[in-house]
Amino acid sequence: MGKPNDYDDIPGTTVFDAQRSRQGYHLNMFCMSLMKAENRAAFLANERAYLDRYPMTEEQKQAVLDRDWNRMIRLGGNIYFLAKLFFTDGKSFQYVAAIMTGNSQEQYAQMMLNGGRPVKGNRYKREWENRKAKRPGAARG
């Protein structure tokens, strides 16, 4: 992609910026096509053939087939467009968000009711690297 942005250092967050929008354009247009019942039926009948109608990268197509939501986001998918796909699968936002955070749906719901993820230790990815370096026995370069 392009030069790194300050917000690339936020753990668990992929910012949907202009660069990612360009990267995911065809993936997102595929998702938008699922707003029509006949397209949902065609997709569910033969997912690969339907995906091949769109000039997505092979990695994007595979992420869709695998229903790897986090990878689709990293590859330019916008959560609001991806919603068309998980609704096609009969899944809710809460269900997909739970998967994306590595929780069960019940754990995710409780985490959100408790105020979401804790901020402490989750502000920057570089904090994680600093913690690893400070641990006893950690490799030093």
Side-chain angles (χ1 to χ4, degrees):
M1 262 175 62
K3 94 176 198 179
N5 296 294
D6 291 339
Y7 51 74
D8 292 333
D9 195 31
I10 304 169
T13 301
T14 303
V15 176
F16 188 77
D17 58 10
Q19 193 174 5
R20 194 154 269 115
S21 175
R22 286 187 296 277
Q23 177 191 20
Y25 178 80
H26 297 293
L27 170 60
N28 292 316
M29 290 305 97
F30 147 73
C31 290
M32 287 301 291
S33 77
L34 299 176
M35 290 180 64
K36 294 183 177 181
E38 62 269 20
N39 291 341
R40 290 190 299 272
F43 172 68
L44 292 172
N46 187 334
E47 293 185 5
R48 183 62 205 212
Y50 191 85
L51 288 172
D52 286 340
R53 296 180 185 181
Y54 292 85
M56 291 186 272
T57 67
E58 189 56 38
E59 188 176 9
Q60 287 170 326
K61 291 176 185 180
Q62 194 58 54
V64 170
L65 294 170
D66 294 343
R67 299 306 195 268
D68 188 334
W69 308 106
N70 286 322
R71 195 159 106 220
M72 284 185 257
I73 295 280
R74 284 191 304 275
L75 296 171
N78 178 293
I79 193 67
Y80 298 106
F81 292 113
L82 296 178
K84 291 13 173 205
L85 176 57
F86 53 80
F87 292 153
T88 296
D89 288 343
K91 306 298 182 194
S92 68
F93 256 98
Q94 186 180 63
Y95 174 86
V96 172
I99 289 172
M100 292 173 76
T101 59
N103 289 297
S104 70
Q105 199 168 341
E106 294 76 23
Q107 291 168 322
Y108 176 79
Q110 192 58 55
M111 177 180 69
M112 297 310 290
L113 289 170
N114 292 337
R117 287 186 180 182
V119 174
K120 186 174 172 76
N122 283 313
R123 291 207 182 265
Y124 302 102
K125 292 177 186 174
R126 66 180 173 266
E127 289 176 346
W128 299 355
E129 295 165 8
N130 292 339
R131 258 188 297 185
K132 289 177 190 172
K134 290 179 183 176
R135 279 188 292 176
R140 296 200 160 84

